[in-house]
Short mmCIF file of all heavy atoms in Angstrom, two decimals:
data_model
loop_
_atom_site.label_atom_id
_atom_site.label_comp_id
_atom_site.label_asym_id
_atom_site.label_seq_id
_atom_site.Cartn_x
_atom_site.Cartn_y
_atom_site.Cartn_z
N ALA A 1457 5.92 8.39 -1.52
CA ALA A 1457 5.05 9.21 -0.66
C ALA A 1457 3.88 8.39 -0.13
O ALA A 1457 3.45 8.56 1.00
CB ALA A 1457 4.54 10.41 -1.44
N ARG A 1458 3.40 7.48 -0.96
CA ARG A 1458 2.25 6.65 -0.56
C ARG A 1458 2.61 5.76 0.63
O ARG A 1458 1.85 5.62 1.57
CB ARG A 1458 1.83 5.80 -1.77
CG ARG A 1458 0.77 4.78 -1.50
CD ARG A 1458 -0.62 5.33 -1.69
NE ARG A 1458 -1.61 4.47 -1.07
CZ ARG A 1458 -2.13 4.67 0.13
NH1 ARG A 1458 -1.80 5.72 0.85
NH2 ARG A 1458 -3.02 3.85 0.62
N PHE A 1459 3.79 5.11 0.56
CA PHE A 1459 4.18 4.15 1.60
C PHE A 1459 5.10 4.74 2.66
O PHE A 1459 5.57 4.04 3.54
CB PHE A 1459 4.85 2.93 0.96
CG PHE A 1459 3.94 2.17 0.04
CD1 PHE A 1459 4.32 1.88 -1.26
CD2 PHE A 1459 2.70 1.75 0.47
CE1 PHE A 1459 3.47 1.19 -2.12
CE2 PHE A 1459 1.83 1.06 -0.38
CZ PHE A 1459 2.23 0.79 -1.68
N ASN A 1460 5.43 6.03 2.50
CA ASN A 1460 6.30 6.70 3.47
C ASN A 1460 7.68 6.06 3.54
O ASN A 1460 8.38 6.14 4.55
CB ASN A 1460 5.63 6.69 4.85
CG ASN A 1460 6.25 7.71 5.78
OD1 ASN A 1460 7.12 8.47 5.35
ND2 ASN A 1460 5.84 7.71 7.02
N SER A 1461 8.06 5.35 2.48
CA SER A 1461 9.40 4.74 2.44
C SER A 1461 9.65 4.24 1.01
O SER A 1461 8.72 4.07 0.24
CB SER A 1461 9.51 3.56 3.41
OG SER A 1461 8.63 2.53 3.02
N ALA A 1462 10.93 4.02 0.70
CA ALA A 1462 11.28 3.43 -0.61
C ALA A 1462 11.69 1.99 -0.36
O ALA A 1462 12.67 1.72 0.33
CB ALA A 1462 12.42 4.21 -1.26
N GLN A 1463 10.90 1.07 -0.90
CA GLN A 1463 11.19 -0.35 -0.70
C GLN A 1463 12.04 -0.87 -1.86
O GLN A 1463 11.88 -0.42 -3.00
CB GLN A 1463 9.89 -1.16 -0.67
CG GLN A 1463 8.80 -0.60 0.25
CD GLN A 1463 9.04 -0.93 1.70
OE1 GLN A 1463 9.80 -1.84 2.02
NE2 GLN A 1463 8.40 -0.20 2.59
N ALA A 1464 12.89 -1.85 -1.56
CA ALA A 1464 13.76 -2.41 -2.60
C ALA A 1464 12.98 -3.19 -3.65
O ALA A 1464 13.43 -3.34 -4.78
CB ALA A 1464 14.82 -3.29 -1.96
N ASP A 1465 11.80 -3.70 -3.27
CA ASP A 1465 11.05 -4.54 -4.23
C ASP A 1465 9.90 -3.78 -4.89
O ASP A 1465 9.06 -4.38 -5.56
CB ASP A 1465 10.54 -5.81 -3.55
CG ASP A 1465 9.53 -5.50 -2.46
OD1 ASP A 1465 9.45 -4.32 -2.08
OD2 ASP A 1465 8.84 -6.43 -2.01
N THR A 1466 9.86 -2.46 -4.73
CA THR A 1466 8.79 -1.68 -5.37
C THR A 1466 8.83 -1.86 -6.88
O THR A 1466 9.90 -1.78 -7.49
CB THR A 1466 8.95 -0.19 -5.02
OG1 THR A 1466 8.81 -0.04 -3.62
CG2 THR A 1466 7.87 0.65 -5.71
N GLY A 1467 7.68 -2.11 -7.46
CA GLY A 1467 7.59 -2.19 -8.93
C GLY A 1467 7.82 -3.57 -9.50
O GLY A 1467 7.65 -3.77 -10.71
N THR A 1468 8.16 -4.54 -8.64
CA THR A 1468 8.38 -5.90 -9.16
C THR A 1468 7.08 -6.44 -9.79
O THR A 1468 6.04 -6.46 -9.14
CB THR A 1468 8.83 -6.84 -8.01
OG1 THR A 1468 9.94 -6.25 -7.36
CG2 THR A 1468 9.22 -8.21 -8.56
N GLY A 1469 7.14 -6.81 -11.05
CA GLY A 1469 5.99 -7.37 -11.74
C GLY A 1469 5.05 -6.33 -12.35
O GLY A 1469 4.10 -6.69 -13.04
N TRP A 1470 5.33 -5.06 -12.11
CA TRP A 1470 4.42 -4.01 -12.61
C TRP A 1470 4.46 -3.90 -14.12
O TRP A 1470 3.52 -3.43 -14.74
CB TRP A 1470 4.77 -2.65 -11.98
CG TRP A 1470 4.16 -2.45 -10.63
CD1 TRP A 1470 4.35 -3.25 -9.54
CD2 TRP A 1470 3.27 -1.42 -10.23
NE1 TRP A 1470 3.63 -2.76 -8.48
CE2 TRP A 1470 2.97 -1.63 -8.87
CE3 TRP A 1470 2.71 -0.33 -10.87
CZ2 TRP A 1470 2.12 -0.80 -8.16
CZ3 TRP A 1470 1.88 0.51 -10.15
CH2 TRP A 1470 1.58 0.28 -8.81
N GLU A 1471 5.60 -4.30 -14.74
CA GLU A 1471 5.68 -4.20 -16.20
C GLU A 1471 4.58 -5.05 -16.85
O GLU A 1471 3.98 -4.64 -17.84
CB GLU A 1471 7.07 -4.62 -16.71
CG GLU A 1471 7.59 -5.98 -16.29
CD GLU A 1471 8.15 -5.99 -14.87
OE1 GLU A 1471 8.50 -4.91 -14.35
OE2 GLU A 1471 8.22 -7.07 -14.27
N LEU A 1472 4.30 -6.20 -16.22
CA LEU A 1472 3.26 -7.07 -16.79
C LEU A 1472 1.87 -6.45 -16.62
O LEU A 1472 1.03 -6.53 -17.52
CB LEU A 1472 3.32 -8.46 -16.14
CG LEU A 1472 4.64 -9.20 -16.35
CD1 LEU A 1472 4.59 -10.57 -15.71
CD2 LEU A 1472 4.95 -9.33 -17.83
N ASP A 1473 1.63 -5.81 -15.47
CA ASP A 1473 0.34 -5.13 -15.26
C ASP A 1473 0.16 -4.00 -16.27
O ASP A 1473 -0.93 -3.82 -16.82
CB ASP A 1473 0.27 -4.55 -13.83
CG ASP A 1473 -0.02 -5.62 -12.81
OD1 ASP A 1473 -0.10 -6.80 -13.21
OD2 ASP A 1473 -0.17 -5.29 -11.62
N ALA A 1474 1.25 -3.25 -16.49
CA ALA A 1474 1.16 -2.11 -17.42
C ALA A 1474 0.91 -2.59 -18.84
O ALA A 1474 0.06 -2.04 -19.55
CB ALA A 1474 2.46 -1.29 -17.35
N ILE A 1475 1.62 -3.64 -19.25
CA ILE A 1475 1.43 -4.16 -20.61
C ILE A 1475 0.02 -4.74 -20.73
O ILE A 1475 -0.67 -4.51 -21.72
CB ILE A 1475 2.50 -5.24 -20.93
CG1 ILE A 1475 3.89 -4.59 -20.99
CG2 ILE A 1475 2.19 -5.93 -22.26
CD1 ILE A 1475 5.03 -5.58 -20.95
N ALA A 1476 -0.42 -5.45 -19.69
CA ALA A 1476 -1.77 -6.03 -19.71
C ALA A 1476 -2.82 -4.94 -19.83
O ALA A 1476 -3.75 -5.05 -20.63
CB ALA A 1476 -2.01 -6.87 -18.46
N ALA A 1477 -2.66 -3.86 -19.05
CA ALA A 1477 -3.64 -2.76 -19.10
C ALA A 1477 -3.69 -2.17 -20.51
O ALA A 1477 -4.77 -1.90 -21.03
CB ALA A 1477 -3.28 -1.69 -18.09
N ALA A 1478 -2.52 -1.99 -21.12
CA ALA A 1478 -2.48 -1.41 -22.47
C ALA A 1478 -3.14 -2.35 -23.48
O ALA A 1478 -3.92 -1.91 -24.33
CB ALA A 1478 -1.04 -1.13 -22.87
N VAL A 1479 -2.85 -3.65 -23.35
CA VAL A 1479 -3.39 -4.61 -24.32
C VAL A 1479 -4.90 -4.79 -24.14
O VAL A 1479 -5.66 -4.82 -25.11
CB VAL A 1479 -2.65 -5.97 -24.21
CG1 VAL A 1479 -3.32 -7.03 -25.07
CG2 VAL A 1479 -1.20 -5.80 -24.64
N ILE A 1480 -5.35 -4.88 -22.87
CA ILE A 1480 -6.80 -4.98 -22.62
C ILE A 1480 -7.50 -3.75 -23.20
O ILE A 1480 -8.60 -3.84 -23.73
CB ILE A 1480 -7.09 -5.10 -21.09
CG1 ILE A 1480 -6.58 -6.43 -20.56
CG2 ILE A 1480 -8.58 -4.97 -20.81
CD1 ILE A 1480 -6.59 -6.52 -19.05
N GLY A 1481 -6.83 -2.62 -23.13
CA GLY A 1481 -7.41 -1.37 -23.64
C GLY A 1481 -7.37 -1.24 -25.15
O GLY A 1481 -7.63 -0.16 -25.68
N GLY A 1482 -7.02 -2.29 -25.86
CA GLY A 1482 -7.10 -2.27 -27.32
C GLY A 1482 -5.81 -1.89 -28.03
O GLY A 1482 -5.81 -1.68 -29.23
N THR A 1483 -4.70 -1.79 -27.28
CA THR A 1483 -3.44 -1.45 -27.93
C THR A 1483 -2.88 -2.70 -28.62
O THR A 1483 -2.84 -3.76 -28.01
CB THR A 1483 -2.41 -0.96 -26.88
OG1 THR A 1483 -3.05 0.02 -26.06
CG2 THR A 1483 -1.19 -0.37 -27.54
#
Side-chain angles (χ1 to χ4, degrees):
Chain A
R1458 173 89 196 97
F1459 298 127
N1460 197 5
S1461 64
Q1463 311 281 341
D1465 64 347
T1466 298
T1468 307
W1470 277 58
E1471 54 281 339
L1472 299 181
D1473 283 4
I1475 294 165
V1479 172
I1480 292 169
T1483 311

